mmCIF file of all heavy atoms in Angstrom:
data_model
loop_
_atom_site.group_PDB
_atom_site.id
_atom_site.type_symbol
_atom_site.label_atom_id
_atom_site.label_comp_id
_atom_site.label_asym_id
_atom_site.label_seq_id
_atom_site.Cartn_x
_atom_site.Cartn_y
_atom_site.Cartn_z
ATOM 1 N N HIS A 1 198.616 92.350 76.590
ATOM 2 C CA HIS A 1 200.037 92.081 76.844
ATOM 3 C C HIS A 1 200.930 93.089 76.132
ATOM 4 O O HIS A 1 202.043 93.353 76.586
ATOM 5 C CB HIS A 1 200.393 90.653 76.420
ATOM 6 C CG HIS A 1 200.396 90.433 74.937
ATOM 7 N ND1 HIS A 1 199.232 90.317 74.203
ATOM 8 C CD2 HIS A 1 201.425 90.321 74.044
ATOM 9 C CE1 HIS A 1 199.530 90.123 72.933
ATOM 10 N NE2 HIS A 1 200.856 90.128 72.803
ATOM 11 N N ARG A 2 200.438 93.665 75.039
ATOM 12 C CA ARG A 2 201.192 94.688 74.324
ATOM 13 C C ARG A 2 201.007 96.060 74.970
ATOM 14 O O ARG A 2 201.958 96.814 75.146
ATOM 15 C CB ARG A 2 200.741 94.743 72.857
ATOM 16 C CG ARG A 2 201.023 93.485 72.074
ATOM 17 C CD ARG A 2 202.490 93.367 71.722
ATOM 18 N NE ARG A 2 202.823 94.258 70.616
ATOM 19 C CZ ARG A 2 204.068 94.611 70.283
ATOM 20 N NH1 ARG A 2 205.081 94.178 71.025
ATOM 21 N NH2 ARG A 2 204.291 95.398 69.253
ATOM 22 N N ALA A 3 199.762 96.349 75.341
ATOM 23 C CA ALA A 3 199.496 97.635 75.969
ATOM 24 C C ALA A 3 200.261 97.777 77.285
ATOM 25 O O ALA A 3 200.727 98.872 77.625
ATOM 26 C CB ALA A 3 197.999 97.798 76.208
ATOM 27 N N ASP A 4 200.405 96.673 78.007
ATOM 28 C CA ASP A 4 201.119 96.741 79.282
ATOM 29 C C ASP A 4 202.595 97.096 79.106
ATOM 30 O O ASP A 4 203.254 97.515 80.057
ATOM 31 C CB ASP A 4 201.002 95.406 80.026
ATOM 32 C CG ASP A 4 199.618 95.216 80.637
ATOM 33 O OD1 ASP A 4 198.859 96.197 80.680
ATOM 34 O OD2 ASP A 4 199.311 94.084 81.063
ATOM 35 N N GLN A 5 203.112 96.920 77.890
ATOM 36 C CA GLN A 5 204.504 97.297 77.627
ATOM 37 C C GLN A 5 204.702 98.809 77.714
ATOM 38 O O GLN A 5 205.826 99.282 77.866
ATOM 39 C CB GLN A 5 204.933 96.800 76.251
ATOM 40 C CG GLN A 5 204.958 95.288 76.114
ATOM 41 C CD GLN A 5 205.297 94.840 74.702
ATOM 42 O OE1 GLN A 5 205.861 95.602 73.909
ATOM 43 N NE2 GLN A 5 204.950 93.606 74.369
ATOM 44 N N VAL A 6 203.615 99.557 77.617
ATOM 45 C CA VAL A 6 203.716 101.011 77.681
ATOM 46 C C VAL A 6 204.041 101.467 79.100
ATOM 47 O O VAL A 6 204.642 102.523 79.302
ATOM 48 C CB VAL A 6 202.399 101.657 77.188
ATOM 49 C CG1 VAL A 6 202.447 103.170 77.328
ATOM 50 C CG2 VAL A 6 202.139 101.262 75.738
ATOM 51 N N LEU A 7 203.638 100.671 80.096
ATOM 52 C CA LEU A 7 203.919 101.034 81.477
ATOM 53 C C LEU A 7 205.428 101.170 81.676
ATOM 54 O O LEU A 7 206.199 100.283 81.336
ATOM 55 C CB LEU A 7 203.367 99.980 82.434
ATOM 56 C CG LEU A 7 201.868 99.706 82.336
ATOM 57 C CD1 LEU A 7 201.474 98.591 83.297
ATOM 58 C CD2 LEU A 7 201.074 100.955 82.611
ATOM 59 N N GLY A 8 205.849 102.309 82.205
ATOM 60 C CA GLY A 8 207.275 102.557 82.395
ATOM 61 C C GLY A 8 207.916 103.315 81.260
ATOM 62 O O GLY A 8 209.070 103.715 81.365
ATOM 63 N N SER A 9 207.181 103.512 80.154
ATOM 64 C CA SER A 9 207.733 104.289 79.044
ATOM 65 C C SER A 9 207.581 105.781 79.322
ATOM 66 O O SER A 9 206.696 106.201 80.057
ATOM 67 C CB SER A 9 207.012 103.954 77.731
ATOM 68 O OG SER A 9 207.211 102.606 77.376
ATOM 69 N N LEU A 10 208.467 106.565 78.762
ATOM 70 C CA LEU A 10 208.377 108.017 78.853
ATOM 71 C C LEU A 10 207.582 108.506 77.651
ATOM 72 O O LEU A 10 208.033 108.419 76.511
ATOM 73 C CB LEU A 10 209.776 108.630 78.838
ATOM 74 C CG LEU A 10 209.848 110.156 78.902
ATOM 75 C CD1 LEU A 10 209.338 110.651 80.252
ATOM 76 C CD2 LEU A 10 211.274 110.626 78.676
ATOM 77 N N LEU A 11 206.370 108.994 77.908
ATOM 78 C CA LEU A 11 205.491 109.434 76.824
ATOM 79 C C LEU A 11 205.345 110.943 76.885
ATOM 80 O O LEU A 11 204.785 111.488 77.834
ATOM 81 C CB LEU A 11 204.127 108.752 76.931
ATOM 82 C CG LEU A 11 204.140 107.217 76.930
ATOM 83 C CD1 LEU A 11 202.717 106.683 76.902
ATOM 84 C CD2 LEU A 11 204.929 106.681 75.741
ATOM 85 N N SER A 12 205.829 111.605 75.862
ATOM 86 C CA SER A 12 205.802 113.060 75.828
ATOM 87 C C SER A 12 204.437 113.581 75.410
ATOM 88 O O SER A 12 203.788 113.024 74.526
ATOM 89 C CB SER A 12 206.867 113.577 74.849
ATOM 90 O OG SER A 12 206.751 114.976 74.689
ATOM 91 N N GLY A 13 204.015 114.663 76.063
ATOM 92 C CA GLY A 13 202.805 115.355 75.655
ATOM 93 C C GLY A 13 203.108 116.576 74.822
ATOM 94 O O GLY A 13 202.242 117.437 74.640
ATOM 95 N N ARG A 14 204.332 116.652 74.300
ATOM 96 C CA ARG A 14 204.773 117.837 73.562
ATOM 97 C C ARG A 14 204.917 117.604 72.068
ATOM 98 O O ARG A 14 205.134 118.539 71.308
ATOM 99 C CB ARG A 14 206.109 118.322 74.121
ATOM 100 C CG ARG A 14 206.018 118.882 75.529
ATOM 101 C CD ARG A 14 207.362 118.933 76.195
ATOM 102 N NE ARG A 14 207.846 117.595 76.498
ATOM 103 C CZ ARG A 14 208.961 117.336 77.178
ATOM 104 N NH1 ARG A 14 209.701 118.323 77.595
ATOM 105 N NH2 ARG A 14 209.322 116.100 77.422
ATOM 106 N N GLU A 15 204.813 116.357 71.630
ATOM 107 C CA GLU A 15 204.991 116.083 70.210
ATOM 108 C C GLU A 15 204.180 114.862 69.802
ATOM 109 O O GLU A 15 203.815 114.031 70.631
ATOM 110 C CB GLU A 15 206.478 115.858 69.886
ATOM 111 C CG GLU A 15 207.106 114.729 70.696
ATOM 112 C CD GLU A 15 208.603 114.633 70.498
ATOM 113 O OE1 GLU A 15 209.190 115.625 70.018
ATOM 114 O OE2 GLU A 15 209.170 113.583 70.803
ATOM 115 N N GLY A 16 203.921 114.768 68.519
ATOM 116 C CA GLY A 16 203.229 113.603 67.982
ATOM 117 C C GLY A 16 201.848 113.394 68.565
ATOM 118 O O GLY A 16 201.123 114.330 68.900
ATOM 119 N N ILE A 17 201.472 112.122 68.724
ATOM 120 C CA ILE A 17 200.144 111.777 69.233
ATOM 121 C C ILE A 17 199.986 112.240 70.675
ATOM 122 O O ILE A 17 198.895 112.648 71.093
ATOM 123 C CB ILE A 17 199.922 110.258 69.109
ATOM 124 C CG1 ILE A 17 199.978 109.848 67.629
ATOM 125 C CG2 ILE A 17 198.581 109.851 69.709
ATOM 126 C CD1 ILE A 17 199.962 108.355 67.399
ATOM 127 N N GLY A 18 201.066 112.205 71.442
ATOM 128 C CA GLY A 18 201.002 112.688 72.813
ATOM 129 C C GLY A 18 200.595 114.142 72.888
ATOM 130 O O GLY A 18 199.837 114.551 73.768
ATOM 131 N N ALA A 19 201.079 114.946 71.934
ATOM 132 C CA ALA A 19 200.701 116.361 71.895
ATOM 133 C C ALA A 19 199.225 116.522 71.549
ATOM 134 O O ALA A 19 198.542 117.398 72.085
ATOM 135 C CB ALA A 19 201.567 117.108 70.885
ATOM 136 N N LEU A 20 198.722 115.670 70.642
ATOM 137 C CA LEU A 20 197.301 115.729 70.305
ATOM 138 C C LEU A 20 196.432 115.440 71.530
ATOM 139 O O LEU A 20 195.456 116.148 71.801
ATOM 140 C CB LEU A 20 196.981 114.717 69.200
ATOM 141 C CG LEU A 20 197.560 114.977 67.818
ATOM 142 C CD1 LEU A 20 197.206 113.830 66.878
ATOM 143 C CD2 LEU A 20 197.040 116.294 67.252
ATOM 144 N N LEU A 21 196.806 114.394 72.267
ATOM 145 C CA LEU A 21 196.053 114.037 73.470
ATOM 146 C C LEU A 21 196.147 115.140 74.517
ATOM 147 O O LEU A 21 195.141 115.529 75.131
ATOM 148 C CB LEU A 21 196.572 112.718 74.030
ATOM 149 C CG LEU A 21 195.929 112.237 75.334
ATOM 150 C CD1 LEU A 21 194.434 112.053 75.166
ATOM 151 C CD2 LEU A 21 196.585 110.930 75.799
ATOM 152 N N SER A 22 197.350 115.672 74.698
ATOM 153 C CA SER A 22 197.557 116.737 75.681
ATOM 154 C C SER A 22 196.726 117.964 75.352
ATOM 155 O O SER A 22 196.039 118.533 76.217
ATOM 156 C CB SER A 22 199.040 117.107 75.731
ATOM 157 O OG SER A 22 199.248 118.245 76.540
ATOM 158 N N GLN A 23 196.756 118.382 74.100
ATOM 159 C CA GLN A 23 196.015 119.575 73.692
ATOM 160 C C GLN A 23 194.511 119.373 73.841
ATOM 161 O O GLN A 23 193.786 120.281 74.278
ATOM 162 C CB GLN A 23 196.369 119.925 72.246
ATOM 163 C CG GLN A 23 197.801 120.421 72.081
ATOM 164 C CD GLN A 23 198.258 120.396 70.633
ATOM 165 O OE1 GLN A 23 197.461 120.167 69.711
ATOM 166 N NE2 GLN A 23 199.546 120.613 70.405
ATOM 167 N N PHE A 24 194.048 118.190 73.486
ATOM 168 C CA PHE A 24 192.622 117.909 73.607
ATOM 169 C C PHE A 24 192.185 117.974 75.074
ATOM 170 O O PHE A 24 191.150 118.589 75.402
ATOM 171 C CB PHE A 24 192.307 116.530 73.027
ATOM 172 C CG PHE A 24 190.843 116.175 73.084
ATOM 173 C CD1 PHE A 24 189.964 116.626 72.113
ATOM 174 C CD2 PHE A 24 190.348 115.396 74.123
ATOM 175 C CE1 PHE A 24 188.607 116.312 72.178
ATOM 176 C CE2 PHE A 24 189.000 115.090 74.191
ATOM 177 C CZ PHE A 24 188.127 115.540 73.221
ATOM 178 N N LEU A 25 192.951 117.358 75.960
ATOM 179 C CA LEU A 25 192.606 117.347 77.381
ATOM 180 C C LEU A 25 192.657 118.745 77.984
ATOM 181 O O LEU A 25 191.766 119.137 78.754
ATOM 182 C CB LEU A 25 193.550 116.419 78.140
ATOM 183 C CG LEU A 25 193.435 114.923 77.815
ATOM 184 C CD1 LEU A 25 194.558 114.144 78.490
ATOM 185 C CD2 LEU A 25 192.079 114.370 78.254
ATOM 186 N N ARG A 26 193.686 119.503 77.628
ATOM 187 C CA ARG A 26 193.796 120.864 78.155
ATOM 188 C C ARG A 26 192.612 121.722 77.725
ATOM 189 O O ARG A 26 192.055 122.493 78.513
ATOM 190 C CB ARG A 26 195.106 121.500 77.667
ATOM 191 C CG ARG A 26 196.372 120.953 78.319
ATOM 192 C CD ARG A 26 197.569 121.507 77.573
ATOM 193 N NE ARG A 26 198.833 120.977 78.017
ATOM 194 C CZ ARG A 26 199.658 121.577 78.879
ATOM 195 N NH1 ARG A 26 199.305 122.734 79.414
ATOM 196 N NH2 ARG A 26 200.810 121.033 79.215
ATOM 197 N N GLN A 27 192.251 121.630 76.459
ATOM 198 C CA GLN A 27 191.127 122.412 75.954
ATOM 199 C C GLN A 27 189.821 121.975 76.621
ATOM 200 O O GLN A 27 188.971 122.806 76.973
ATOM 201 C CB GLN A 27 191.018 122.262 74.447
ATOM 202 C CG GLN A 27 189.894 123.089 73.822
ATOM 203 C CD GLN A 27 189.860 122.972 72.302
ATOM 204 O OE1 GLN A 27 190.766 122.414 71.698
ATOM 205 N NE2 GLN A 27 188.809 123.489 71.697
ATOM 206 N N LEU A 28 189.686 120.681 76.816
ATOM 207 C CA LEU A 28 188.475 120.155 77.420
ATOM 208 C C LEU A 28 188.272 120.683 78.835
ATOM 209 O O LEU A 28 187.194 121.171 79.193
ATOM 210 C CB LEU A 28 188.536 118.623 77.439
ATOM 211 C CG LEU A 28 187.393 117.900 78.154
ATOM 212 C CD1 LEU A 28 186.097 118.068 77.369
ATOM 213 C CD2 LEU A 28 187.727 116.429 78.333
ATOM 214 N N VAL A 29 189.324 120.624 79.656
ATOM 215 C CA VAL A 29 189.167 121.011 81.062
ATOM 216 C C VAL A 29 189.181 122.526 81.254
ATOM 217 O O VAL A 29 188.732 123.021 82.291
ATOM 218 C CB VAL A 29 190.266 120.362 81.939
ATOM 219 C CG1 VAL A 29 190.235 118.849 81.799
ATOM 220 C CG2 VAL A 29 191.649 120.908 81.618
ATOM 221 N N ALA A 30 189.678 123.256 80.268
ATOM 222 C CA ALA A 30 189.738 124.717 80.396
ATOM 223 C C ALA A 30 188.340 125.321 80.471
ATOM 224 O O ALA A 30 188.120 126.299 81.197
ATOM 225 C CB ALA A 30 190.515 125.323 79.233
ATOM 226 N N ASP A 31 187.385 124.741 79.745
ATOM 227 C CA ASP A 31 186.027 125.288 79.746
ATOM 228 C C ASP A 31 185.060 124.209 79.292
ATOM 229 O O ASP A 31 185.023 123.854 78.110
ATOM 230 C CB ASP A 31 185.935 126.502 78.822
ATOM 231 C CG ASP A 31 184.552 127.133 78.815
ATOM 232 O OD1 ASP A 31 183.736 126.766 79.681
ATOM 233 O OD2 ASP A 31 184.302 127.992 77.949
ATOM 234 N N THR A 32 184.279 123.672 80.223
ATOM 235 C CA THR A 32 183.314 122.621 79.871
ATOM 236 C C THR A 32 181.922 123.178 79.599
ATOM 237 O O THR A 32 181.005 122.428 79.300
ATOM 238 C CB THR A 32 183.224 121.589 81.015
ATOM 239 O OG1 THR A 32 182.774 122.251 82.209
ATOM 240 C CG2 THR A 32 184.574 120.931 81.273
ATOM 241 N N SER A 33 181.773 124.501 79.691
ATOM 242 C CA SER A 33 180.441 125.102 79.568
ATOM 243 C C SER A 33 179.869 125.010 78.158
ATOM 244 O O SER A 33 178.653 125.101 77.970
ATOM 245 C CB SER A 33 180.477 126.560 80.012
ATOM 246 O OG SER A 33 181.333 127.328 79.168
ATOM 247 N N SER A 34 180.736 124.841 77.160
ATOM 248 C CA SER A 34 180.248 124.822 75.783
ATOM 249 C C SER A 34 179.742 123.441 75.354
ATOM 250 O O SER A 34 179.241 123.283 74.242
ATOM 251 C CB SER A 34 181.367 125.260 74.824
ATOM 252 O OG SER A 34 182.478 124.400 74.930
ATOM 253 N N TYR A 35 179.873 122.453 76.231
ATOM 254 C CA TYR A 35 179.432 121.097 75.902
ATOM 255 C C TYR A 35 178.094 120.783 76.578
ATOM 256 O O TYR A 35 177.785 121.285 77.661
ATOM 257 C CB TYR A 35 180.468 120.065 76.351
ATOM 258 C CG TYR A 35 181.832 120.268 75.742
ATOM 259 C CD1 TYR A 35 182.886 120.763 76.507
ATOM 260 C CD2 TYR A 35 182.073 119.965 74.406
ATOM 261 C CE1 TYR A 35 184.147 120.950 75.955
ATOM 262 C CE2 TYR A 35 183.322 120.149 73.850
ATOM 263 C CZ TYR A 35 184.360 120.645 74.623
ATOM 264 O OH TYR A 35 185.603 120.843 74.076
ATOM 265 N N GLN A 36 177.320 119.908 75.945
ATOM 266 C CA GLN A 36 176.079 119.407 76.520
ATOM 267 C C GLN A 36 176.346 118.068 77.208
ATOM 268 O O GLN A 36 177.293 117.356 76.854
ATOM 269 C CB GLN A 36 175.027 119.218 75.423
ATOM 270 C CG GLN A 36 174.654 120.489 74.690
ATOM 271 C CD GLN A 36 174.010 121.515 75.608
ATOM 272 O OE1 GLN A 36 173.256 121.166 76.524
ATOM 273 N NE2 GLN A 36 174.300 122.793 75.365
ATOM 274 N N PRO A 37 175.526 117.682 78.181
ATOM 275 C CA PRO A 37 175.705 116.379 78.831
ATOM 276 C C PRO A 37 175.729 115.217 77.835
ATOM 277 O O PRO A 37 176.442 114.236 78.049
ATOM 278 C CB PRO A 37 174.491 116.290 79.766
ATOM 279 C CG PRO A 37 174.173 117.715 80.088
ATOM 280 C CD PRO A 37 174.454 118.476 78.826
ATOM 281 N N THR A 38 174.968 115.347 76.748
ATOM 282 C CA THR A 38 174.951 114.275 75.743
ATOM 283 C C THR A 38 176.260 114.167 74.980
ATOM 284 O O THR A 38 176.495 113.163 74.291
ATOM 285 C CB THR A 38 173.805 114.513 74.747
ATOM 286 O OG1 THR A 38 173.907 115.844 74.215
ATOM 287 C CG2 THR A 38 172.447 114.346 75.429
ATOM 288 N N ASP A 39 177.106 115.196 75.074
ATOM 289 C CA ASP A 39 178.409 115.147 74.410
ATOM 290 C C ASP A 39 179.406 114.267 75.173
ATOM 291 O O ASP A 39 180.431 113.855 74.604
ATOM 292 C CB ASP A 39 179.012 116.557 74.291
ATOM 293 C CG ASP A 39 178.238 117.451 73.347
ATOM 294 O OD1 ASP A 39 177.717 116.925 72.355
ATOM 295 O OD2 ASP A 39 178.157 118.670 73.619
ATOM 296 N N ALA A 40 179.141 114.014 76.450
ATOM 297 C CA ALA A 40 180.119 113.337 77.299
ATOM 298 C C ALA A 40 180.591 111.991 76.743
ATOM 299 O O ALA A 40 181.804 111.764 76.635
ATOM 300 C CB ALA A 40 179.563 113.177 78.717
ATOM 301 N N PRO A 41 179.675 111.060 76.367
ATOM 302 C CA PRO A 41 180.153 109.768 75.846
ATOM 303 C C PRO A 41 180.990 109.911 74.578
ATOM 304 O O PRO A 41 181.972 109.182 74.392
ATOM 305 C CB PRO A 41 178.854 108.993 75.575
ATOM 306 C CG PRO A 41 177.836 109.642 76.448
ATOM 307 C CD PRO A 41 178.208 111.095 76.469
ATOM 308 N N ARG A 42 180.622 110.855 73.718
ATOM 309 C CA ARG A 42 181.387 111.055 72.481
ATOM 310 C C ARG A 42 182.779 111.599 72.786
ATOM 311 O O ARG A 42 183.768 111.192 72.165
ATOM 312 C CB ARG A 42 180.626 112.005 71.546
ATOM 313 C CG ARG A 42 179.360 111.395 70.955
ATOM 314 C CD ARG A 42 178.744 112.306 69.905
ATOM 315 N NE ARG A 42 178.066 113.446 70.506
ATOM 316 C CZ ARG A 42 176.785 113.449 70.860
ATOM 317 N NH1 ARG A 42 176.046 112.373 70.670
ATOM 318 N NH2 ARG A 42 176.237 114.534 71.390
ATOM 319 N N LEU A 43 182.856 112.524 73.736
ATOM 320 C CA LEU A 43 184.169 113.043 74.131
ATOM 321 C C LEU A 43 185.011 111.938 74.768
ATOM 322 O O LEU A 43 186.224 111.866 74.549
ATOM 323 C CB LEU A 43 183.993 114.210 75.099
ATOM 324 C CG LEU A 43 183.367 115.483 74.514
ATOM 325 C CD1 LEU A 43 183.017 116.465 75.622
ATOM 326 C CD2 LEU A 43 184.315 116.130 73.514
ATOM 327 N N GLY A 44 184.363 111.078 75.546
ATOM 328 C CA GLY A 44 185.078 109.950 76.136
ATOM 329 C C GLY A 44 185.644 109.017 75.077
ATOM 330 O O GLY A 44 186.754 108.497 75.213
#
């Protein structure tokens, strides 16, 4: 019920925790060749 309050919020990917998530995702999708299949659950 608390998490659903986030729906409709404006969440920036340029600062704070949003920036951390954004940077991690961008780096991840830029090149997946350096990861092993066993890394997938940990990255998730």
Side-chain angles (χ1 to χ4, degrees):
H1 71 284
R2 296 285 283 164
D4 285 348
Q5 295 176 20
V6 176
L7 302 177
S9 297
L10 179 66
L11 303 186
S12 173
R14 292 162 290 185
E15 57 187 18
I17 298 172
L20 292 177
L21 177 59
S22 172
Q23 291 164 9
F24 181 83
L25 293 172
R26 288 171 185 262
Q27 182 177 351
L28 175 69
V29 303
D31 182 11
T32 61
S33 63
S34 59
Y35 302 107
Q36 299 297 324
T38 53
D39 293 326
R42 290 187 285 270
L43 292 170

